[in-house]
Amino acid sequence: MGEDLAFSAQVKDELAHLLPAQECCRRMELAALLRASGRITIGGEDRLACALSTDRAPVARKIIRLIKSEFTLQTEVMVGRRTRLRKNLSYLVRIPPQSGVVDMLKALGALDSGGQLQEWGNLPLLQNDHCRRAYLRGTFLGTGWVAPPERQHHLEMTTTATE
């Protein structure tokens, strides 16, 4: 199993170095990362904030690059310690409450035009193949696992969606 995790980490690290050329794809990859490994919270004075977590430093750096390439938002990175159960460091990329967070969440399909939480199934840019690839890449970076090809063909991505 350790070899499988190492291969999956290697694939994630390689994918984390790819930055989509098109704005629509950068947004879809970030939307998938937010859905797969993020959470939206209400910060001070009823302002929204976001946090995305990963156990891969290259993925944390990619999240920051995607945010910076599309939005002018401040980010913070918190590094969690290794524990007996968790062998790797953990990284939390936080977007604290600030102007622009609501606009980002609308652009990523998390909020509708009225500022209400949106169902994730209706992302408008998923009509294009290149955006679907970016969305799958983001989902894999957020929650994916893949077995080495010489052992077996197996890919997993998890979601909390019920439909």
Side-chain angles (χ1 to χ4, degrees):
M1 187 68 162
E3 182 182 316
D4 291 354
L5 291 175
F7 179 76
S8 196
Q10 178 185 3
V11 172
K12 284 184 179 187
D13 290 354
E14 288 180 24
L15 290 175
H17 287 89
L18 300 175
L19 190 64
Q22 295 177 282
E23 176 184 321
C24 57
C25 293
R26 290 190 299 269
R27 289 182 178 213
M28 284 299 95
E29 190 165 345
L30 185 56
L33 278 158
L34 179 62
R35 181 172 188 187
S37 64
R39 67 178 184 268
I40 301 168
T41 58
I42 297 178
E45 301 176 21
D46 295 329
R47 293 178 56 191
L48 295 176
C50 301
L52 296 95
S53 60
T54 181
D55 61 353
R56 307 295 314 152
V59 175
R61 286 191 294 272
K62 180 170 194 168
I63 291 167
I64 293 167
R65 279 195 342 255
L66 288 168
I67 293 167
K68 298 289 183 191
S69 74
E70 296 303 308
F71 309 98
T72 53
L73 295 169
Q74 299 276 328
T75 59
E76 304 169 347
V77 179
M78 299 174 1
V79 181
R81 291 191 231 161
R82 294 179 175 107
T83 65
R84 218 174 306 156
L85 294 175
R86 179 173 217 117
K87 302 297 182 201
N88 294 329
L89 293 172
S90 62
Y91 303 88
L92 184 70
V93 178
R94 191 167 174 275
I95 305 166
Q98 59 193 286
S99 66
V101 172
V102 170
D103 291 335
M104 179 193 76
L105 293 173
K106 286 179 181 177
L108 299 180
L111 298 178
D112 65 18
S113 59
Q116 298 298 310
L117 283 174
Q118 179 77 351
E119 285 295 322
W120 287 92
N122 300 327
L123 294 171
L125 296 176
L126 288 179
Q127 298 152 356
N128 303 313
D129 284 344
H130 50 87
C131 289
R132 283 193 287 265
R133 282 191 295 274
Y135 194 82
L136 284 172
R137 184 172 45 249
T139 302
F140 177 77
L141 288 171
T143 66
W145 176 86
V146 64
E150 63 273 2
R151 292 194 51 201
Q152 58 185 337
H153 297 287
H154 190 88
L155 169 69
E156 289 183 19
M157 291 186 271
T158 59
T159 181
T160 57
T162 57
E163 293 182 22

